[in-house]
């Protein structure tokens, strides 16, 4: 004789709740490896309960609930393998820009810190002439004192592809350091952003003071908007890591770091192709007089606008449509 529906639900409900809890954690990325076996066992028991409900309690809420629960568990356990290029395409179509939009407040704080550094560096050099001796590298100061940009000779002594490679390597180092130093409770990222800002501001102010403002603008205008954007995004990723360590919320600190670290890594990985591309622009276009200043400025503004248009708009329509589905269904 089959048990009554209330008795069946009462006896099996703890396992169903446990399975639903593990599925929630799987979707949030906090499921531990050792819990996968429990997830599989609970799914198999729920599948047996579903078969029982189909036989004895068809059309009931318990039957519908088990059908939905088993469907979610099946999708979580038996995910089809993703093709590598399709995964990369989906990452840049949806995941990377969506992650940046979710974490925009950290990117905004990062931009503010870099801007603060630029302002401080410029003020120190403009208000105190000896400040340049502390903030601007000697080689750069000597070149500016001689009335010429330190970048003028870059292409005459080194092939453009070598310059681009060195610049890309340097930019990659700054980006990775801005992100990884977030592990020092965010203080390393804070230092990296302000220090880089101070150097940019100090060199720009020294060029302005010594009559080389046009040369400075000519050099940075083509690559500056995108390069600074990437540094700001990497800085935002580092601040996310620092925030997870300082304020993990209701999660254990290690679990919060793993969860937020995965989101932060997405931002850094997403910047990689843009970083390589802008290194080429900085190596081939920015130095020398092959391209006029107006063309460099137009290129830099266009690239910056394209980058932020991509980050702020790509995938937004699909995300809004996905979020609207449950609301429509509920009504």
């Amino acid at each position: 004789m089959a048990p009554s529906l209330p008795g069946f639900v009462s006896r099996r409900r703890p396992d169903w709740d446990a399975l639903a809890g593990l599925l929630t954690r799987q979707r949030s990325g906090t499921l531990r490896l050792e819990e996968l076996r429990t997830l599989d066992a609970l799914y198999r028991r729920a599948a047996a309960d579903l078969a029982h409900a189909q036989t004895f309690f068809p059309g009931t809420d318990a039957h519908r609930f088990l059908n939905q629960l088993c469907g979610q568990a099946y999708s979580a356990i038996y995910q089809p393998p993703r093709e590598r290029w399709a995964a990369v395409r989906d990452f840049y179509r949806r995941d990377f820009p969506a992650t940046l939009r979710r974490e925009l407040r950290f990117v905004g704080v990062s931009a503010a810190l870099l801007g603060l550094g630029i302002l401080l560096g410029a003020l120190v050099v403009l208000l105190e002439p000896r400040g340049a001796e502390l903030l601007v590298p000697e080689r750069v100061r000597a070149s500016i004192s001689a009335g010429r940009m330190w970048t003028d000779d870059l292409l005459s002594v080194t092939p453009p592809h070598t310059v681009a490679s060195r610049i890309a390597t340097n930019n990659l180092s700054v980006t990775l350091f801005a992100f990884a130093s977030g592990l020092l409770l965010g203080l390393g990222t804070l230092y990296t952003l302000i220090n880089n800002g101070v150097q940019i501001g100090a060199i720009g102010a020294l060029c302005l003071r010594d009559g080389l403002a046009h040369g400075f603008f000519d050099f940075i205008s083509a690559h500056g908007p995108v390069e600074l954007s990437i540094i700001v995004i990497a800085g935002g990723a580092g601040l996310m890591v620092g925030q997870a360590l300082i304020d993990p919320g209701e999660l254990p600190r290690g679990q919060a770091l793993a969860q937020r670290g995965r989101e932060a890594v997405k931002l850094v990985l997403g910047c990689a192709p843009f970083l390589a591309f802008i290194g080429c622009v900085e190596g081939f276009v920015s130095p020398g007089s092959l391209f006029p200043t107006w063309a460099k400025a137009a290129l830099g503004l266009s690239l910056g606008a394209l980058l932020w248009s991509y980050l702020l708009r790509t995938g937004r329509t699909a995300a809004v449509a996905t979020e609207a589905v449950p609301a429509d269904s509920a009504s």
Side-chain angles (χ1 to χ4, degrees), residues 217 220-226 229 278 281 293-309:
F217 178 75
I220 68 166
S221 57
H223 66 271
V226 171
S229 297
I278 209 62
V281 173
T293 302
W294 67 264
K296 295 179 181 178
L299 176 65
L301 289 175
S302 299
L303 292 176
L306 285 173
L307 173 65
W308 282 102
S309 295

Side-chain angles (χ1 to χ4, degrees), residues 28-31 255 257-267:
S28 66
T30 58
L31 187 70
Q255 196 170 324
L257 177 62
Q259 186 175 333
R260 298 293 289 155
R262 275 192 291 272
E263 296 296 295
V265 166
K266 289 179 185 177
L267 295 182

Side-chain angles (χ1 to χ4, degrees), residues 212-234:
L212 290 176
H214 178 268
F216 180 74
F217 178 75
D218 179 79
F219 177 67
I220 68 166
S221 57
H223 66 271
V226 171
E227 184 176 288
L228 294 181
S229 297
I230 292 172
I231 292 174
V232 161
I233 293 171

Side-chain angles (χ1 to χ4, degrees), residues 1 14 68 113 210 267 292:
M1 181 178 176
Q68 184 179 23
L113 290 171
D210 289 6
L267 295 182

Side-chain angles (χ1 to χ4, degrees), residues 54-79:
Q54 283 175 332
T55 302
F56 296 103
F57 314 114
T60 60
D61 288 343
H63 177 213
R64 286 189 287 272
F65 171 78
L66 281 169
N67 196 35
Q68 184 179 23
L69 181 65
C70 288
Q72 293 173 355
Y74 181 88
S75 299
I77 295 172
Y78 299 105
Q79 292 180 8

Side-chain angles (χ1 to χ4, degrees), residues 111-316:
L113 290 171
L114 184 68
L116 175 65
I118 292 174
L119 182 63
L120 289 175
L123 286 177
V124 168
V125 172
L126 291 176
L127 298 179
E128 172 52 63
R130 290 174 298 179
E133 298 176 9
L134 296 174
L135 302 178
V136 180
E138 183 177 356
R139 180 179 67 83
V140 177
R141 276 190 284 118
S143 180
I144 294 174
S145 298
R148 50 199 271 289
M149 292 292 291
W150 68 99
T151 58
D152 289 346
D153 298 331
L154 277 178
L155 299 182
S156 61
V157 299
T158 309
H161 65 276
T162 304
V163 174
S165 176
R166 289 177 180 172
I167 289 171
T169 302
N170 178 68
N171 290 345
L172 180 63
S173 301
V174 173
T175 302
L176 290 179
F177 191 77
F179 163 61
S181 57
L183 287 170
L184 301 174
L185 301 178
L187 295 176
T189 299
L190 190 148
Y191 168 79
T192 303
L193 290 168
I194 293 182
N195 183 55
N196 276 275
V198 164
Q199 288 196 19
I200 295 170
I203 293 174
L206 185 60
C207 289
L208 176 66
R209 198 183 70 188
D210 289 6
L212 290 176
H214 178 268
F216 180 74
F217 178 75
D218 179 79
F219 177 67
I220 68 166
S221 57
H223 66 271
V226 171
E227 184 176 288
L228 294 181
S229 297
I230 292 172
I231 292 174
V232 161
I233 293 171
L239 294 177
M240 289 168 60
V241 172
Q243 188 263 347
L245 290 171
I246 295 172
D247 181 19
E250 297 178 355
L251 297 175
R253 187 164 275 104
Q255 196 170 324
L257 177 62
Q259 186 175 333
R260 298 293 289 155
R262 275 192 291 272
E263 296 296 295
V265 166
K266 289 179 185 177
L267 295 182
V268 178
L269 287 179
C271 288
F274 302 100
L275 196 62
F277 172 74
I278 209 62
C280 293
V281 173
E282 190 171 355
F284 286 89
V285 178
S286 295
S289 56
L290 181 61
F291 299 93
T293 302
W294 67 264
K296 295 179 181 178
L299 176 65
L301 289 175
S302 299
L303 292 176
L306 285 173
L307 173 65
W308 282 102
S309 295
Y310 157 71
L311 291 172
L312 297 178
R313 300 193 62 83
T314 301
R316 181 182 287 274

